[in-house]
Amino acid sequence: MKAALRLALALVLLGLLYWLYTVLFPSPEKAVLKRIASLAATATIPAGTNPLLRANKVGTVIAYFSPDAEITYDLVGVGAHTLSGRDEIREAAAGGFAGATSLSVRFQDVTVRLGPDKLSAEVSCTAKVSANGDQDTGIQEMRFQLRKLDGDWLITRAETVKTLQ
Amino acid sequence: MTTETNTSGAEPGWLQIVLIGRRPKWTLIRILVLVSLVTVTTKFVLLPIRVEGISMEPTYRNHKIDCVNRLAYMLHEPQRGDVVAIRYSEPGQFSEPKQLLMKRIIGLPGESVAFHEGHVYINGRLLDEPYLAKSSCDWEHAPIQCGPDQYYVVGDNRTMPFEYHVQGRAERNRIIGKVLL
């Protein structure tokens, strides 16, 4: 009985150590997942956020993109557009943030595929964006390409994907 | 006649009976079985969904609760007229996606789908759609050819302008099941 208890305790301890290791040294997949979740949280603006904080948010969101990043989107009722470089993305983000009283961004059903060099990754997900409460909600399949630059996972390309051809 | 009171096998109090039953061990086993059954059913058999949006009106109203039968197409392929759930995210996992598209199949693999004066034409023949509400629809679109693994899907709300209505060809591996009700 004592031996079984010791064995159980040893297993629990091993499990805890493993968990601690994954927290301290996350795998590249986990780091990318965390980065994408963090981008959604950063792009979310609760109602009543003051303009200064909104402006600050733009800068924080831009930091997720590489200097030569490109965003390509083709949306129903909007058409196809491409934003190239941080300046164009900053301008678009500032316009989007200013135009909504609140904004909720969520990336769901996220799958990460790491490149063979483990320094690049492709992320597929479904973006759910709600503006002004739940009045305007859009759901869109998306694909991101990320690259590890100076220890940070940065988005080099983001594009909308047509679920229906 | 005498009555003996057995203190060791005392009847549990009403609160215990209500909360964990007369035999807690069996109650725990019942709960575990029930939770497992519900988890497996809602994950792999009947996926609960909530309709968001108006593209399937009047058949499916906004915020309606329904279920997707994930086993519907295990024995046969999707049929014309079926209302199906289509995953946004990339196929490959059997786990439940959080966001789905709900649309009706009007075109089958290999068929061509066209819209003329609001009516659907499959391979040039008018399609009877009894599920549609009588409303004015002026959709016009040249024939679109479905590939060998593609189904043409569209919503029931044809009062929306064509360009604002999400519709098109869905790959078979994105159709995860048939909407139950």
Side-chain angles (χ1 to χ4, degrees):
Chain A
M1 193 65 187
K2 251 186 176 178
L5 192 67
R6 277 185 190 152
L7 187 69
L9 275 173
L11 284 173
V12 169
L13 194 68
L14 270 175
L16 272 173
L17 282 173
Y18 176 73
W19 173 77
L20 199 66
Y21 177 81
T22 57
V23 170
L24 293 174
F25 307 101
S27 64
E29 285 97 339
K30 275 204 171 166
V32 170
L33 278 172
K34 214 173 157 185
R35 192 74 175 154
I36 291 293
S38 169
L39 171 63
T42 307
T44 295
I45 303 174
T49 305
N50 74 47
L52 265 177
L53 274 175
R54 275 167 191 262
N56 189 39
K57 282 246 179 200
V58 174
T60 320
V61 166
I62 291 305
Y64 284 82
F65 292 85
S66 67
D68 60 343
E70 203 170 67
I71 299 180
T72 304
Y73 59 93
D74 186 358
L75 301 170
V76 173
V78 178
H81 295 276
T82 299
L83 304 172
S84 300
R86 276 183 170 168
D87 289 339
E88 282 188 29
I89 297 169
R90 181 182 286 113
E91 206 174 304
F97 285 179
T101 52
S102 67
L103 195 67
S104 161
V105 181
R106 274 181 284 172
F107 297 121
Q108 298 174 318
D109 305 326
V110 183
T111 50
V112 178
R113 268 188 302 271
L114 275 183
D117 56 355
K118 308 254 179 191
L119 293 172
S120 61
E122 189 176 279
V123 173
S124 301
C125 65
T126 309
K128 186 175 184 183
V129 180
S130 305
N132 309 324
D134 270 340
Q135 282 179 353
D136 306 312
T137 300
I139 299 170
Q140 178 65 50
E141 187 177 344
M142 290 202 69
R143 190 177 297 136
F144 293 98
Q145 279 169 15
L146 292 95
R147 181 153 275 283
K148 199 170 187 181
L149 297 165
D150 300 327
D152 263 345
W153 284 98
L154 297 180
I155 297 165
T156 54
R157 185 174 168 78
E159 60 184 333
T160 56
V161 178
K162 281 200 166 182
T163 305
L164 302 178
Q165 306 294 313
Chain B
M1 197 181 231
T2 55
T3 311
E4 264 185 15
T5 309
N6 185 359
T7 48
S8 61
E11 188 73 6
W14 67 270
L15 189 64
Q16 186 190 328
I17 293 172
V18 168
L19 291 177
I20 54 172
R22 281 177 203 277
R23 287 176 292 181
K25 202 197 275 181
W26 283 105
T27 305
L28 185 68
I29 290 170
R30 270 190 223 114
I31 289 171
L32 286 175
V33 169
L34 197 67
V35 168
S36 311
L37 267 175
V38 169
T39 307
V40 169
T41 306
T42 56
K43 233 175 159 57
F44 302 112
V45 185
L46 291 174
L47 193 64
I49 54 164
R50 194 184 69 174
V51 178
E52 278 183 37
I54 57 164
S55 76
M56 280 302 287
E57 285 191 359
T59 319
Y60 295 91
R61 299 267 173 209
N62 197 12
H63 303 310
K64 184 182 185 268
I65 304 291
D66 213 309
C67 273
V68 175
N69 178 5
R70 298 199 70 172
L71 306 180
Y73 300 128
M74 284 191 77
L75 297 176
H76 64 85
E77 289 301 300
Q79 309 289 307
R80 196 189 323 278
D82 286 357
V83 176
V84 293
I86 301 155
R87 64 186 308 152
Y88 277 102
S89 52
E90 284 193 354
Q93 302 165 300
F94 196 63
S95 64
E96 84 283 20
K98 285 194 173 65
Q99 296 294 337
L100 295 164
L101 264 172
M102 186 200 233
K103 297 285 170 192
R104 191 183 291 278
I105 292 177
I106 57 167
L108 301 175
E111 291 182 341
S112 84
V113 179
F115 293 91
H116 178 56
E117 291 176 347
H119 298 291
V120 175
Y121 288 83
I122 304 293
N123 294 337
R125 289 183 147 195
L126 180 67
L127 176 68
D128 180 33
E129 295 185 280
Y131 38 79
L132 293 184
K134 284 192 178 99
S135 59
S136 58
C137 174
D138 57 356
W139 288 8
E140 291 286 342
H141 203 284
I144 300 162
Q145 186 70 35
C146 290
D149 206 28
Q150 291 178 328
Y151 292 79
Y152 198 96
V153 295
V154 64
D156 286 355
N157 185 356
R158 312 278 170 87
T159 59
M160 301 166 77
F162 186 84
E163 57 274 22
Y164 288 102
H165 191 106
V166 177
Q167 59 180 297
R169 293 164 290 181
E171 299 287 335
R172 171 66 183 91
N173 59 6
R174 284 195 179 239
I175 298 174
I176 70 155
K178 184 178 176 181
V179 177
L180 205 62
L181 303 170

